[in-house]
Amino acid sequence: KAGVTQTPRYLIKTRGQQVTLSCSPISGHRSVSWYQQTPGQGLQFLFEYFSETQRNKGNFPGRFSGRQFSNSRSEMNVSTLELGDSALYLCASSPGTESTNEKLFFGSGTQLSVL
Amino acid sequence: DAKTTQPPSMDCAEGRAANLPCNHSTISGNEYVYWYRQIHSQGPQYIIHGLKNNETNEMASLIITEDRKSSTLILPHATLRDTAVYYCIVRVSIIQGAQKLVFGQGTRLTINP
């Protein structure tokens, strides 16, 4: 079974641009979550999608958005990039049908650098 | 979400058991304890989780105290490949099925040859 796939692996953008990151979950998984990891703030939850609906959201500005398609693939978008958006963006998938007794499987992440 | 406290770093000799402690004194009755680890520049990897009973799998053992306020992850025979940051997470259900992990700073475990 293929794992969680994130593309691209590395990305360089300049301030003010926007960026779209992609995540393909494990086959059969319907929940996709996104996390941001920086040296200063660690791993922080961005949002979670289940059946094309945002089910949970972290404390990030509206410049960060996402969506999920009918095949459970997900994209996240960051508009008007700032230097502080430089981070490793991680996607995780899970079946999404249980509450707390469910493992999340993470992809390798997209390393975004904003210049 | 319940907060966890872990030592920032630990060392262990290769071949010995690595015991990683975690305090979660505000844990509630329906909250699971999860352990993940992250090797540099990779995504976190699931290790083990439990509610109140001790758990064991092919990677590790999880010992949860009777009052559930603390737990210990045990890697029985540590290898150099176990060098990573280990996260202890207490996970609560926000709404039915909603998935969210709240990561602390974790413990940086270094296995020495």
Side-chain angles (χ1 to χ4, degrees), chain B residues 43-62:
Chain B
Q45 176 192 24
Y46 167 84
I47 301 173
I48 199 167
H49 75 286
L51 183 62
K52 57 178 85 172
N53 298 320
N54 297 338
E55 302 287 345
T56 296
N57 63 21
E58 64 281 0
M59 288 182 70
S61 294
L62 174 61

mmCIF file of all heavy atoms in Angstrom, chain B residues 43-62:
data_model
loop_
_atom_site.group_PDB
_atom_site.id
_atom_site.type_symbol
_atom_site.label_atom_id
_atom_site.label_comp_id
_atom_site.label_asym_id
_atom_site.label_seq_id
_atom_site.Cartn_x
_atom_site.Cartn_y
_atom_site.Cartn_z
ATOM 1 N N GLY B 43 8.572 13.127 7.864
ATOM 2 C CA GLY B 43 7.318 13.264 8.582
ATOM 3 C C GLY B 43 7.312 12.416 9.838
ATOM 4 O O GLY B 43 8.024 11.410 9.919
ATOM 5 N N PRO B 44 6.546 12.802 10.850
ATOM 6 C CA PRO B 44 6.446 11.988 12.069
ATOM 7 C C PRO B 44 5.953 10.575 11.760
ATOM 8 O O PRO B 44 5.112 10.385 10.874
ATOM 9 C CB PRO B 44 5.430 12.758 12.927
ATOM 10 C CG PRO B 44 5.532 14.164 12.451
ATOM 11 C CD PRO B 44 5.795 14.058 10.985
ATOM 12 N N GLN B 45 6.476 9.637 12.512
ATOM 13 C CA GLN B 45 6.133 8.233 12.343
ATOM 14 C C GLN B 45 5.421 7.742 13.588
ATOM 15 O O GLN B 45 5.905 7.939 14.708
ATOM 16 C CB GLN B 45 7.413 7.418 12.110
ATOM 17 C CG GLN B 45 7.191 5.912 12.020
ATOM 18 C CD GLN B 45 8.499 5.131 12.071
ATOM 19 O OE1 GLN B 45 9.514 5.599 12.597
ATOM 20 N NE2 GLN B 45 8.483 3.925 11.520
ATOM 21 N N TYR B 46 4.280 7.112 13.405
ATOM 22 C CA TYR B 46 3.527 6.554 14.529
ATOM 23 C C TYR B 46 4.326 5.436 15.193
ATOM 24 O O TYR B 46 4.931 4.602 14.516
ATOM 25 C CB TYR B 46 2.188 6.009 14.037
ATOM 26 C CG TYR B 46 1.457 5.141 15.038
ATOM 27 C CD1 TYR B 46 0.660 5.712 16.031
ATOM 28 C CD2 TYR B 46 1.575 3.753 15.002
ATOM 29 C CE1 TYR B 46 -0.007 4.914 16.942
ATOM 30 C CE2 TYR B 46 0.917 2.951 15.917
ATOM 31 C CZ TYR B 46 0.130 3.537 16.887
ATOM 32 O OH TYR B 46 -0.511 2.743 17.796
ATOM 33 N N ILE B 47 4.325 5.422 16.535
ATOM 34 C CA ILE B 47 5.002 4.351 17.268
ATOM 35 C C ILE B 47 3.990 3.473 17.976
ATOM 36 O O ILE B 47 3.905 2.265 17.744
ATOM 37 C CB ILE B 47 5.999 4.911 18.303
ATOM 38 C CG1 ILE B 47 7.058 5.786 17.627
ATOM 39 C CG2 ILE B 47 6.674 3.760 19.071
ATOM 40 C CD1 ILE B 47 7.965 6.514 18.606
ATOM 41 N N ILE B 48 3.190 4.073 18.857
ATOM 42 C CA ILE B 48 2.303 3.287 19.703
ATOM 43 C C ILE B 48 1.303 4.222 20.359
ATOM 44 O O ILE B 48 1.534 5.436 20.417
ATOM 45 C CB ILE B 48 3.134 2.530 20.770
ATOM 46 C CG1 ILE B 48 2.359 1.354 21.368
ATOM 47 C CG2 ILE B 48 3.656 3.481 21.840
ATOM 48 C CD1 ILE B 48 3.249 0.394 22.176
ATOM 49 N N HIS B 49 0.180 3.703 20.835
ATOM 50 C CA HIS B 49 -0.741 4.502 21.615
ATOM 51 C C HIS B 49 -1.490 3.617 22.599
ATOM 52 O O HIS B 49 -1.548 2.390 22.438
ATOM 53 C CB HIS B 49 -1.703 5.293 20.727
ATOM 54 C CG HIS B 49 -2.805 4.487 20.099
ATOM 55 N ND1 HIS B 49 -2.585 3.620 19.052
ATOM 56 C CD2 HIS B 49 -4.132 4.431 20.368
ATOM 57 C CE1 HIS B 49 -3.726 3.080 18.689
ATOM 58 N NE2 HIS B 49 -4.688 3.537 19.465
ATOM 59 N N GLY B 50 -2.065 4.259 23.632
ATOM 60 C CA GLY B 50 -2.805 3.503 24.631
ATOM 61 C C GLY B 50 -3.735 4.405 25.414
ATOM 62 O O GLY B 50 -3.587 5.626 25.412
ATOM 63 N N LEU B 51 -4.684 3.779 26.107
ATOM 64 C CA LEU B 51 -5.653 4.530 26.905
ATOM 65 C C LEU B 51 -5.354 4.373 28.395
ATOM 66 O O LEU B 51 -5.138 5.349 29.095
ATOM 67 C CB LEU B 51 -7.070 4.048 26.594
ATOM 68 C CG LEU B 51 -8.206 4.782 27.301
ATOM 69 C CD1 LEU B 51 -8.226 6.253 26.902
ATOM 70 C CD2 LEU B 51 -9.545 4.119 27.001
ATOM 71 N N LYS B 52 -5.354 3.156 28.888
ATOM 72 C CA LYS B 52 -5.047 2.946 30.302
ATOM 73 C C LYS B 52 -4.185 1.710 30.550
ATOM 74 O O LYS B 52 -3.429 1.663 31.502
ATOM 75 C CB LYS B 52 -6.323 2.882 31.131
ATOM 76 C CG LYS B 52 -7.303 1.817 30.709
ATOM 77 C CD LYS B 52 -8.513 1.796 31.635
ATOM 78 C CE LYS B 52 -9.556 2.790 31.211
ATOM 79 N NZ LYS B 52 -10.815 2.672 31.974
ATOM 80 N N ASN B 53 -4.274 0.749 29.658
ATOM 81 C CA ASN B 53 -3.463 -0.461 29.823
ATOM 82 C C ASN B 53 -2.111 -0.294 29.146
ATOM 83 O O ASN B 53 -1.954 0.502 28.236
ATOM 84 C CB ASN B 53 -4.174 -1.662 29.214
ATOM 85 C CG ASN B 53 -5.500 -1.935 29.911
ATOM 86 O OD1 ASN B 53 -5.596 -1.833 31.120
ATOM 87 N ND2 ASN B 53 -6.502 -2.251 29.123
ATOM 88 N N ASN B 54 -1.137 -1.063 29.616
ATOM 89 C CA ASN B 54 0.163 -1.075 28.956
ATOM 90 C C ASN B 54 0.016 -1.720 27.590
ATOM 91 O O ASN B 54 -0.793 -2.627 27.399
ATOM 92 C CB ASN B 54 1.175 -1.840 29.814
ATOM 93 C CG ASN B 54 1.397 -1.177 31.155
ATOM 94 O OD1 ASN B 54 1.148 0.012 31.326
ATOM 95 N ND2 ASN B 54 1.853 -1.959 32.113
ATOM 96 N N GLU B 55 0.786 -1.219 26.630
ATOM 97 C CA GLU B 55 0.715 -1.715 25.270
ATOM 98 C C GLU B 55 2.106 -2.067 24.764
ATOM 99 O O GLU B 55 3.090 -1.461 25.173
ATOM 100 C CB GLU B 55 0.108 -0.656 24.342
ATOM 101 C CG GLU B 55 -1.277 -0.166 24.717
ATOM 102 C CD GLU B 55 -2.368 -1.197 24.435
ATOM 103 O OE1 GLU B 55 -2.098 -2.166 23.700
ATOM 104 O OE2 GLU B 55 -3.487 -1.025 24.963
ATOM 105 N N THR B 56 2.157 -3.040 23.878
ATOM 106 C CA THR B 56 3.431 -3.435 23.254
ATOM 107 C C THR B 56 3.177 -3.756 21.792
ATOM 108 O O THR B 56 2.162 -4.358 21.456
ATOM 109 C CB THR B 56 4.025 -4.676 23.955
ATOM 110 O OG1 THR B 56 4.352 -4.343 25.301
ATOM 111 C CG2 THR B 56 5.307 -5.139 23.262
ATOM 112 N N ASN B 57 4.088 -3.316 20.952
ATOM 113 C CA ASN B 57 4.060 -3.725 19.549
ATOM 114 C C ASN B 57 5.491 -4.018 19.104
ATOM 115 O O ASN B 57 6.409 -4.086 19.936
ATOM 116 C CB ASN B 57 3.364 -2.692 18.658
ATOM 117 C CG ASN B 57 4.072 -1.348 18.637
ATOM 118 O OD1 ASN B 57 5.266 -1.249 18.957
ATOM 119 N ND2 ASN B 57 3.346 -0.312 18.268
ATOM 120 N N GLU B 58 5.682 -4.171 17.816
ATOM 121 C CA GLU B 58 6.996 -4.568 17.327
ATOM 122 C C GLU B 58 8.038 -3.464 17.487
ATOM 123 O O GLU B 58 9.229 -3.725 17.405
ATOM 124 C CB GLU B 58 6.908 -4.983 15.854
ATOM 125 C CG GLU B 58 6.513 -3.890 14.894
ATOM 126 C CD GLU B 58 5.023 -3.615 14.876
ATOM 127 O OE1 GLU B 58 4.278 -4.285 15.633
ATOM 128 O OE2 GLU B 58 4.605 -2.733 14.099
ATOM 129 N N MET B 59 7.604 -2.251 17.710
ATOM 130 C CA MET B 59 8.548 -1.146 17.831
ATOM 131 C C MET B 59 8.893 -0.819 19.282
ATOM 132 O O MET B 59 10.042 -0.474 19.592
ATOM 133 C CB MET B 59 7.974 0.123 17.187
ATOM 134 C CG MET B 59 7.927 0.105 15.688
ATOM 135 S SD MET B 59 7.303 1.660 15.040
ATOM 136 C CE MET B 59 8.647 2.773 15.427
ATOM 137 N N ALA B 60 7.880 -0.861 20.164
ATOM 138 C CA ALA B 60 8.098 -0.331 21.510
ATOM 139 C C ALA B 60 7.044 -0.854 22.477
ATOM 140 O O ALA B 60 6.097 -1.531 22.081
ATOM 141 C CB ALA B 60 8.031 1.193 21.449
ATOM 142 N N SER B 61 7.245 -0.473 23.742
ATOM 143 C CA SER B 61 6.246 -0.722 24.785
ATOM 144 C C SER B 61 5.847 0.614 25.390
ATOM 145 O O SER B 61 6.665 1.541 25.459
ATOM 146 C CB SER B 61 6.805 -1.629 25.888
ATOM 147 O OG SER B 61 7.061 -2.913 25.380
ATOM 148 N N LEU B 62 4.590 0.698 25.799
ATOM 149 C CA LEU B 62 4.077 1.903 26.434
ATOM 150 C C LEU B 62 3.559 1.519 27.805
ATOM 151 O O LEU B 62 2.676 0.656 27.915
ATOM 152 C CB LEU B 62 2.959 2.517 25.585
ATOM 153 C CG LEU B 62 2.211 3.704 26.178
ATOM 154 C CD1 LEU B 62 3.159 4.866 26.445
ATOM 155 C CD2 LEU B 62 1.077 4.138 25.243
#
